[in-house]
Each structure stands twice: as structure tokens, then as C-alpha cells.
Amino acid sequence: MNMMQVMQNVVWAVLLWPCLVSLGVPLECKDEQGSIILCASISKEKLLDRVIQHAELIYRVSEESCTLFEEMFVPFPMRSQRNQAGYTCATKAFPIPGSKSEIQQISDKWLLHSVLILVQSWIEPLVYLQTTLDRYDDAPDTLLKKTKWVSEKLLSLEQGVVVLIRKMLDDDMLTTSYYEQGVAPYALQPEVLESVLRDYTLLSCFKKDAHKMETFLKLLKCRQTDKYSCFLH
């Protein structure tokens, strides 16, 4: 067993200890006619397709939200300052594979749990973002609606990934909510410039992580059909 496998096993021992409280609650999905059915009654293939579609939409709207915020509140000279100001993505510290070679080598189990960690780590920060955007005098309704939509859809994505893990991996023990120790406190009252940079960083980081979620899920889908020809671009 190499060092990477040892580290992953240690991480799993920590992450898989608590169960999600929501596991005792029947999760619901919609069928093609819009009727509510239990996610558990859908085949894992169809559920994976739905989860991927969800992730695609979340990434697309997060990209639109970031662009809209940038155009409305971030002067061009400031767009390169967020990294210089020390604002980095909090999820960078999480045990999530980053490089293409790392992603290609990890197991299906690690892919799915990486998606779940990312999803859960953003639930609370997106609630914060809705609150702070409400304080902007000129925040357009479109931006407010997009961030609220993404926040709600992220909860649905979390449920879908939880059920998918149980279907594909037969895992009864799942990672606990990660956001409790994730994105560090945003409840401060900074000056206007700092607030804009912080919110801009938050949106940019979420967009990046939303793309990771989509990429991991699509790689997982590819592995189900043609394991030896799945490459990241």
C-alpha cells in the first residue's frame, strides 16, 4: 500500500465515522412527468444522469453569477487583486484531488465522496452570500435570484449524491456535513472594498469548485461505460 492510499484510508476513517442525519429521511426526485418519486427507486444510471445535469446547471449559473457580479461591482484594476490580497479558496485545504493525474488515478469512491465534500462545504457560505448581497444598494434582482437558486439546487445535489453513493458503493456510513469546518467565518463586517473583494473571491471559488463537481461526476459516468478511454481535457 503506497503513501497516497494510506492517507486516503486515514481520511476515510475520519470522514466516514458520522452518518448524515438526512439518511433517515426518504429522498425525493421528480420523474419525466414532474411527479415526485423516491430517489432510491431510480436506477443508479438514471440517477447519475440527473445528478450530472444538476451539476451542469449549477456550474452554468455560478459562472453567470460571477460574471454579473464582476461587471456590476468589480472595477477592472481590482480583478487581479483578490489573490494578492490574500483571499484564497478555503476548499483548497480539503483532501480533494487537484491535478489531472491525481483525478485520473483515484477510485470511484473517492470521486463521489470528493463531490459530496465540495457540495457540503458550500451550503453555508452560499447562505451567507445571499445575506451579504442583500446589503448591496444596486444588486440586481437577477443576481439575487441566481444565488438563491444555486443555494437551493446545491441542497438537492447533496441529496442526489448521498443516494448515488449508497446505490453505487453500498455505503451505509457517509461523510458528515463538511461546511462546519470549511469556509472560514464570513460573518464579519469589513469595509466596502474588502467586502466586494471577499464576495468576488467567494463567487470565483464556488465557480471553480462547481466545475470540479461536474468534472468528477462526468468522469465517473465515463468510467461506467468505457473505463479505459476516459481522459480529462
Side-chain angles (χ1 to χ4, degrees):
M1 183 178 291
N2 60 34
M3 184 59 66
M4 176 67 74
Q5 290 174 319
V6 172
M7 292 179 64
Q8 287 187 3
N9 287 339
V10 171
V11 172
W12 288 132
V14 175
L15 294 181
L16 302 182
W17 177 247
C19 287
L20 280 172
V21 176
S22 60
L23 286 179
V25 181
L27 303 177
E28 296 180 340
C29 295
K30 289 185 178 181
D31 61 17
E32 294 177 357
Q33 287 72 42
S35 302
I36 297 295
I37 57 176
L38 294 181
C39 291
S41 65
I42 302 175
S43 69
K44 65 181 181 182
E45 292 80 14
K46 287 186 177 180
L47 182 57
L48 179 55
D49 286 339
R50 293 186 184 195
V51 168
I52 289 174
Q53 290 170 3
H54 230 60
E56 287 175 339
L57 286 171
I58 288 174
Y59 172 60
R60 186 188 311 162
V61 176
S62 70
E63 195 172 31
E64 293 170 354
S65 300
C66 190
T67 300
L68 185 58
F69 184 89
E70 186 177 81
E71 292 173 348
M72 287 290 300
F73 302 110
V74 186
F76 186 78
M78 285 177 54
R79 296 177 190 180
S80 61
Q81 290 182 15
R82 57 188 176 90
N83 292 329
Q84 298 173 7
Y87 295 118
T88 58
C89 298
T91 52
K92 186 177 181 180
F94 290 179
I96 305 294
S99 69
K100 290 183 179 181
S101 59
E102 287 177 334
I103 296 171
Q104 293 284 13
Q105 293 173 18
I106 62 177
S107 66
D108 292 353
K109 181 176 184 176
W110 190 249
L111 276 176
L112 275 172
H113 279 281
S114 294
V115 173
L116 186 58
I117 289 171
L118 286 172
V119 169
Q120 291 181 335
S121 71
W122 279 105
I123 291 175
E124 190 172 278
L126 287 183
V127 172
Y128 155 82
L129 186 61
Q130 292 178 63
T131 302
T132 191
L133 287 178
D134 281 335
R135 297 199 295 265
Y136 282 70
D137 293 334
D138 302 321
D141 288 341
T142 303
L143 180 60
L144 298 177
K145 289 178 180 178
K146 285 180 183 294
T147 53
K148 182 179 180 181
W149 181 91
V150 167
S151 184
E152 292 172 350
K153 293 302 178 185
L154 201 63
L155 291 173
S156 298
L157 181 60
E158 178 193 24
Q159 291 186 333
V161 173
V162 166
V163 177
L164 192 59
I165 288 174
R166 300 188 72 178
K167 280 180 172 291
M168 297 187 70
L169 308 176
D170 296 322
D171 269 358
D172 291 324
M173 300 292 284
L174 297 176
T175 177
T176 186
S177 296
Y178 218 86
Y179 56 80
E180 293 178 359
Q181 52 186 321
V183 183
Y186 283 99
L188 304 174
Q189 299 294 327
E191 297 297 327
V192 174
L193 177 61
E194 183 182 352
S195 179
V196 168
L197 284 174
R198 179 170 297 183
D199 294 343
Y200 180 42
T201 301
L202 190 65
L203 281 166
S204 299
C205 289
F206 177 68
K207 180 182 73 170
K208 183 184 298 183
D209 284 345
H211 187 250
K212 283 184 183 178
M213 298 174 205
E214 179 187 352
T215 299
F216 290 177
L217 289 167
K218 286 183 174 180
L219 177 59
L220 181 64
K221 171 71 174 178
C222 180
R223 286 180 178 180
Q224 307 307 303
T225 55
D226 192 357
K227 184 174 183 178
Y228 298 103
S229 63
C230 298
F231 300 98
L232 296 176
H233 300 286

